[in-house]
Amino acid sequence: MILAKIKEHISRRAFASYCYACVLLIQLRNGSRVSEAVDAAIKFADQRVNEVYVRVRKRRDGYERLMILPEELRIQDIAICKEILSKGNPVLSVKVYAKKILGINTHSLRYARITHMLRNNISPSIVAKITGHKKLDYILTYTQIKTAEEALRNIR
């Protein structure tokens, strides 16, 4: 396994950064919360499958949503990250990495995916189901704010 050999030759910090970037790619692909992306990455590694269901942590009803491994990643890419993602507080580590290294808020990836789906004419109710939103108002409020801001910028 070439990735395992690479892992031996790079620093732990660089390897952790690679793993955190994989989690962010999973998050962006699925429009998920970072915690759901970490859960999915661990399940991808354990089950060696391209699709898993993860519990939506913000919901108390036990709802689980489908997560799909991005086509840019392979299961082997995620499997070698399992150790990093299973120790300490990986959600916080990914958030700190995203903010300090990439200059982004992880939740912006979730809303970028939601906006992308809506702009591609996917029904808001389907987007809510995909992203695990219990109430449609969260999606509608956010997208209306973004649409209003965009309209304001385009007024000449």
Side-chain angles (χ1 to χ4, degrees), residues 16 19-21 23-24 27 34-39 41-42 57 81-98 106:
C19 294
Y20 301 153
V23 169
L24 293 171
Q27 181 187 12
V34 70
S35 60
E36 296 161 2
V38 168
D39 292 347
I42 292 168
R57 291 189 184 182
C81 291
K82 184 178 176 200
E83 180 184 339
I84 296 265
L85 299 175
S86 298
K87 290 183 179 175
N89 186 342
V91 172
L92 179 60
S93 297
V94 172
K95 287 180 177 185
V96 168
Y97 167 78
T106 58

Side-chain angles (χ1 to χ4, degrees), residues 111 115 119 140-153:
Y111 285 119
T115 301
R119 286 186 176 164
L140 294 178
T141 300
Y142 170 77
T143 54
Q144 287 170 352
I145 290 169
K146 289 297 177 190
T147 302
E149 289 172 352
E150 197 171 295
L152 180 60
R153 285 186 191 99

Side-chain angles (χ1 to χ4, degrees), residues 37-49:
V38 168
D39 292 347
I42 292 168
K43 282 189 172 186
F44 289 138
D46 284 344
Q47 298 174 14
R48 304 278 181 171
V49 294

Side-chain angles (χ1 to χ4, degrees), residues 47-81:
Q47 298 174 14
R48 304 278 181 171
V49 294
N50 293 326
E51 296 182 3
V52 295
Y53 282 88
V54 297
R55 187 170 91 48
V56 176
R57 291 189 184 182
K58 284 222 171 178
R59 291 184 52 172
R60 293 187 177 116
D61 60 1
Y63 181 78
E64 291 188 338
R65 59 168 298 196
L66 176 67
M67 299 284 284
I68 298 173
L69 185 69
E71 61 187 30
E72 299 84 2
L73 297 175
R74 297 184 331 239
I75 292 171
Q76 298 89 323
D77 299 333
I78 299 302
I80 63 171
C81 291

